[in-house]
Amino acid sequence: MSVTSFDPRTGAVIATVADTSADELQAVLAAASAAAPQLVATSPAERRTWLHAVADALELHRDDLARLADQETALGLERLTGEVTRAAGQLRFYGDVAAEGSYLEVTVDEPTATTPRLIRTNRPLGPVAVFGASNFPFAFSVLGNDTAMALATGCPVVAKAHPAHAGLSMRQAEIAREALAGAGAPRGTFAAVSGHQVGVDLVKAQEIAAVGFTGSQAGGLALWRIANEREVVIPVYAEMGTVNPVVVTRAGAADIDAVAKGLVGSFTLGSGQFCTKPGLLLAPKDSGAAQAVAAALRGAEPAPVMLTEAIAQGIPTGIREMIAAGAELIAEVAPAEGATGWAAPAAVLAAPADDLTPGSRLLEETFGAVVLVTEYDDDRALADAVRRLQCSLAASVFTGGADDVQAPGVVALLSGKVGRVAVDEWPTGVAFTWAQQHGGPWPATSAPAATSVGAYGLARFVRPVAYQSAHDAWLPPEAQAANPWGLPRRVNGVRG
């Protein structure tokens, strides 16, 4: 058995990667399990040097990696070269976050006449299985956010190669292993495996303590179910995405043409294959939003080439299903005549807000350059429509400025449904920063309190342990009185 990747522009075979055998998988898992206590014993500062070394190696091979990625994804050399740089930046960032130390949340309560001495700290979970995304072959793949965060916290990683860029996945893994070994990381700190059944077996393996996933709802929920059927249940941090809504206020609709142009740029970015792609526009009644978006789409003349054949086939199917559910096709830009490979149309549809009902196909994502436009009569109708939506990763609101009286209520309304609300900006960019939240309530993610981008994502791969009346020498280094790693801590309620 093997996995084959293709050139989306032509359908030509690019790489064939043999499935990891059962014996090979067991060896990888044994190495990760053996490495886990060694990683726990290393300081966050030391792990930072490992991540910086991997980042340096990625950048050293940037051009070759981008060329290979372009062959397997058709995302373009400019975009992919920049994404290598982003992935390297993420690796350094999460190493720096770990070295800063606050993710450990070391908390000391000295004994009193009525309470014992308690010290609480976060400890690494153990080996983590990472399943990356097809649409970001660097930033969200085998060396993406999940892997960087897990390694930063002291968790070995076993990453599954994505079938859409299997050759690139294994090449990145090779580069990472060499860099980690050169930086002094223990054997078993990182590995990659390949194959559909291997991915299932990986989640079932007793050595695996957590799962990070970025991709479709179907894929994420399948892994979530497998993990919850284990004898020892483990957390699955699945970032799955849904229809990310955009609300235009009455004042914001005064410039509907500009909003429409921005929407087209956002929902066709990357051929509409972003998890933060805006998929639904809610605009005031009689704003002419649908026609404005249609005109902007025709003017843009996108020519989407999709990452996989299945994604390309799913777009016309999704459009037909949405029409059957009550939507009207307002505009469609078909692939150029004679287009080869996995080309697909871009489309704008419209439907009445009353048709946005639970269970309707209109509330499900069509992964690609497809958007649905609807109009609301008043604030109550808007609130009713938003409440019926699936929860999402992100939302945008376009306003008339700081004096827009409708805007505060809309921001509050959307914040109950998503993990991030963008004001007068599009949601497609996701910065890796301290304050970032890239998550959302179910079914956008399997863990609404978690984030898969940003400093707080490290919390997914640790768990708190409290030590009561323990001798100082028996405590983890970060919890010892001498604080040998020099990390921040809270003592008797006071952060120092």
Side-chain angles (χ1 to χ4, degrees):
M1 298 289 289
S2 61
V3 172
T4 301
S5 63
F6 302 88
D7 183 341
R9 298 183 180 97
T10 65
V13 172
I14 297 299
T16 299
V17 176
D19 285 3
T20 303
S21 70
D23 288 344
E24 289 170 334
L25 176 61
Q26 195 51 54
V28 165
L29 291 167
S33 185
Q38 299 178 65
L39 267 66
V40 170
T42 60
S43 70
E46 184 175 356
R47 297 195 295 270
R48 173 174 59 183
T49 66
W50 303 346
L51 289 165
H52 281 233
V54 176
D56 293 344
L58 273 184
E59 290 184 329
L60 181 65
H61 296 279
R62 176 171 48 207
D63 293 342
D64 290 341
L65 288 171
R67 279 192 290 269
L68 176 56
D70 188 47
Q71 290 179 327
E72 291 186 309
T73 68
L75 290 172
L77 282 174
E78 182 179 358
R79 144 82 192 268
L80 292 164
T81 301
E83 194 181 325
V84 176
T85 301
R86 176 192 168 101
Q90 290 172 176
L91 287 159
R92 295 188 182 100
F93 173 73
Y94 295 120
D96 294 346
V97 169
E100 186 271 344
S102 61
Y103 81 97
L104 289 167
E105 297 183 350
V106 179
T107 306
V108 180
D109 288 336
E110 299 293 358
T112 69
T114 57
T115 60
R117 186 171 188 259
L118 287 167
I119 301 179
R120 184 183 192 271
T121 185
N122 287 329
R123 306 296 285 158
L125 292 178
V128 172
V130 169
F131 293 74
S134 62
N135 55 344
F136 283 89
F138 298 108
F140 286 89
S141 191
V142 295
L143 295 180
N145 289 276
D146 285 343
T147 293
M149 292 177 188
L151 292 177
T153 63
C155 294
V157 170
V158 180
K160 180 185 169 298
H162 198 287
H165 51 262
L168 176 67
S169 294
M170 302 311 285
R171 179 62 181 131
Q172 288 186 83
E174 181 182 25
I175 290 170
R177 287 195 302 272
E178 291 176 357
L180 287 166
R187 177 181 173 274
T189 296
F190 174 82
V193 296
S194 181
H196 175 75
Q197 184 58 45
V198 172
V200 174
D201 295 340
L202 182 61
V203 178
K204 291 181 177 180
Q206 63 178 359
E207 293 88 351
I208 295 299
V211 176
F213 170 87
T214 303
S216 68
Q217 281 192 30
L221 291 179
L223 296 182
W224 178 81
R225 291 188 181 99
I226 292 168
N228 280 275
E229 290 169 356
R230 289 174 34 139
E231 182 178 354
V232 177
V233 175
I234 58 173
V236 173
Y237 297 103
E239 183 255 275
M240 299 176 285
T242 56
V243 179
N244 301 290
V246 177
V247 174
V248 183
T249 67
R250 288 181 292 274
D255 198 5
I256 196 65
D257 289 339
V259 173
K261 183 178 179 180
L263 175 63
V264 169
S266 187
F267 87 83
T268 63
L269 187 66
S271 298
Q273 297 170 117
F274 280 31
C275 58
T276 51
K277 180 206 83 176
L280 173 66
L281 180 72
L282 298 116
K285 185 177 180 180
D286 298 326
S287 61
Q291 295 301 329
V293 177
L297 180 65
R298 295 188 190 100
E301 296 183 347
V305 175
M306 313 314 292
L307 291 159
T308 69
E309 187 175 17
I311 294 173
Q313 293 174 345
I315 292 172
T317 299
I319 293 171
R320 289 194 298 270
E321 291 173 348
M322 293 172 75
I323 292 172
E328 176 187 0
L329 182 61
I330 304 299
E332 181 175 281
V333 177
E337 185 176 350
T340 59
W342 299 323
V348 179
L349 299 98
D354 289 345
D355 285 357
L356 303 178
T357 57
S360 170
R361 177 62 178 84
L362 300 179
L363 296 183
E364 297 178 12
E365 181 181 26
T366 297
F367 192 64
V370 177
V371 72
L372 178 68
V373 179
T374 190
E375 295 185 348
Y376 60 89
D377 290 332
D378 53 30
D379 288 356
R380 177 175 294 181
L382 172 62
D384 288 344
V386 170
R387 291 190 187 103
R388 293 194 296 269
L389 302 180
Q390 293 190 69
C391 293
S392 305
L393 294 171
S396 289
V397 53
F398 283 85
T399 75
D403 297 328
D404 189 331
V405 295
Q406 187 187 4
V410 175
V411 170
L413 178 67
L414 292 172
S415 67
K417 302 290 291 190
V418 305
R420 175 168 58 96
V421 181
V423 177
D424 293 325
E425 294 181 353
W426 297 100
T428 27
V430 183
F432 54 94
T433 66
W434 279 85
Q436 185 60 269
Q437 174 62 26
H438 189 54
W442 184 279
T445 69
S446 59
T451 180
S452 60
V453 181
Y456 287 90
L458 273 67
R460 296 178 299 161
F461 302 120
V462 296
R463 69 177 182 88
V465 177
Y467 298 88
Q468 181 172 322
S469 301
H471 295 290
D472 189 69
W474 300 353
L475 296 171
E478 74 271 15
Q480 293 175 3
N483 192 10
W485 292 344
L487 302 179
R489 55 178 58 188
R490 184 184 297 272
V491 180
N492 294 331
V494 179
R495 185 177 296 277

